[in-house]
């Protein structure tokens, strides 16, 4: 029996304790064991994770974004609409935009058109707001004035109007009935300007009726311009010798020459105006020596000239001359 009942320690236990290195810290061994416990082995098979239900709104996300954009656009439009309405009310009701007097009308380009004629059109707008004056309608009314070829009406804020007038260019005097007026290349008849206005030196056009439409007068004026262009071509400048041009018959244009020895009515027909007028210029003195009086000359026929065909004498009293150097009438090309 051992003493004092002390149990005996087996030898292999002593040997195992002796095998533990003396340098190993017991705390380090404990930490390593704890680390081994934290590392879990990956399972060999993965299980599907359970999905957590997500709470959704009443509208899809895409529809919600569109609705948000639409609300923003509506809000911006409402703001701009309010600003526009306020601006409109201010422009329509403010005294700053009222045309108070005729001094606020700036009129340019008038020479023969009087300010009174312009005020007949624009006078009713005095006292109105400039934004409520119909500019296009006023422009058309101004262009109805005979001397006005074109007009423009513009607003100059806050309370002025600018009126620009472009007047017509007359090319001849015209006798319509018992009235003498001016006429432009488009057949528009204008009243003679005041005595202080520019003086014109034009031939007088006869043969136009009082009730002729503008289209007929425009065609006659086209013929008139062609006759003058032919007589002045090549530097001839014969149109300055004309006192009247009769356009009553387009097939027989008649011109009155202001000769110092007496006016002569010359029939030029419907073509070759320059060539026929040159025949008159070359032989008028010869005819004056041959005949007692030369009132008119007809140059419409080939290689012959009829002197005084417009006299009231019987036909047998008419004289026929065949001047040398005249050319036969050429046929018009088709």
């Amino acid at each position: 029996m051992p003493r004092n009942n002390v149990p005996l320690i087996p030898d292999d236990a002593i040997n195992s304790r002796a095998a533990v290195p003396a340098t190993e810290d017991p705390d380090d061994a404990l930490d390593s064991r704890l680390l081994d416990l934290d590392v879990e082995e990956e399972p060999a098979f993965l299980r599907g994770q359970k999905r957590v239900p997500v709470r959704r709104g009443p509208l899809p996300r895409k529809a919600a974004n569109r609705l948000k954009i639409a609300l923003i656009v509506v809000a911006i439009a409402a703001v701009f609409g309010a600003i526009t309405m306020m601006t409109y009310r201010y422009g329509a009701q403010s005294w700053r935009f009222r045309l108070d007097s005729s001094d606020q009308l700036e009129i340019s380009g008038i020479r023969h058109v009087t300010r009174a004629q312009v005020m007949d059109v624009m006078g009713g707008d005095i006292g109105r707001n400039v934004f409520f004056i119909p500019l296009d309608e006023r422009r058309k009314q101004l262009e109805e004035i005979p001397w006005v070829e074109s007009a423009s009406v513009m607003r100059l804020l806050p309370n002025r109007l600018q009126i620009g007038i472009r007047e017509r260019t007359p090319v001849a005097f015209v006798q319509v009935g018992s009235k003498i007026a001016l006429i432009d290349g488009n057949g528009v008849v204008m009243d003679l300007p005041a005595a202080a206005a520019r003086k014109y030196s034009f031939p007088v056009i006869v043969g136009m009726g009082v009730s002729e439409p503008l289209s007929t007068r425009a065609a006659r004026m086209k013929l008139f311009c062609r006759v003058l262009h032919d007589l002045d071509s090549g530097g001839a400048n014969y149109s300055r010798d004309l006192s009247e041009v009769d356009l009553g018959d387009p097939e027989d244009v008649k011109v009155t020459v202001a000769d110092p020895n007496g006016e002569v009515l010359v029939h030029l027909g419907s073509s070759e105006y320059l060539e026929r007028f040159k025949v008159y210029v070359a032989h008028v003195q010869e005819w004056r020596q041959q005949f007692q009086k030369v009132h008119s000359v007809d140059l419409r026929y080939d290689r012959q000239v009829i002197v005084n065909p417009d006299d009231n004498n019987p036909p047998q009293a008419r004289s026929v001359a065949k001047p040398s150097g005249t050319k036969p009438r050429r046929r018009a090309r088709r």
Side-chain angles (χ1 to χ4, degrees), residues 306-324:
I306 303 178
V307 180
N308 296 333
D310 300 301
D311 286 355
N312 294 324
N313 299 326
Q316 60 269 20
R318 297 179 182 178
S319 302
V320 178
K322 296 183 179 179
S324 59

Side-chain angles (χ1 to χ4, degrees), residues 115-159:
R115 187 177 181 88
Q117 289 177 305
V118 177
M119 290 307 301
D120 287 342
V121 176
M122 307 298 301
D125 295 319
I126 302 299
R128 295 185 64 182
N129 188 297
V130 294
F131 291 111
F132 294 99
I133 297 175
L135 302 186
D136 191 59
E137 181 180 347
R138 295 295 179 265
R139 176 186 61 81
K140 293 179 180 178
Q141 291 174 341
L142 289 171
E143 291 177 351
E144 292 177 359
I145 300 174
W147 268 100
V148 177
E149 182 175 3
S150 61
S152 63
V153 183
M154 298 176 58
R155 296 185 184 94
L156 296 179
L157 297 180
N159 58 354

Side-chain angles (χ1 to χ4, degrees), residues 70 73 133 159 221 225 229 233 264 267-268 313:
V73 171
I133 297 175
N159 58 354
M221 291 308 300
C225 293
H229 178 268
S233 60
V264 180
H267 295 253
L268 295 178
N313 299 326

Side-chain angles (χ1 to χ4, degrees), residues 242-299:
L242 306 183
S243 61
E244 283 187 2
V245 178
D246 189 345
L247 302 176
D249 182 6
E251 296 299 322
D252 181 19
V253 176
K254 297 181 283 292
V255 298
T256 301
V257 183
D259 195 296
N261 297 319
E263 292 185 343
V264 180
L265 181 65
V266 181
H267 295 253
L268 295 178
S270 60
S271 62
E272 301 178 4
Y273 305 115
L274 179 59
E275 294 180 5
R276 295 175 179 178
F277 196 82
K278 285 182 176 180
V279 172
Y280 164 79
V281 174
H283 300 281
V284 62
Q285 297 303 327
E286 176 185 342
W287 297 331
R288 290 188 185 279
Q289 295 176 1
Q290 184 178 358
F291 304 100
Q292 184 177 2
K293 189 70 173 179
V294 177
H295 300 289
S296 60
V297 178
D298 195 340
L299 301 171

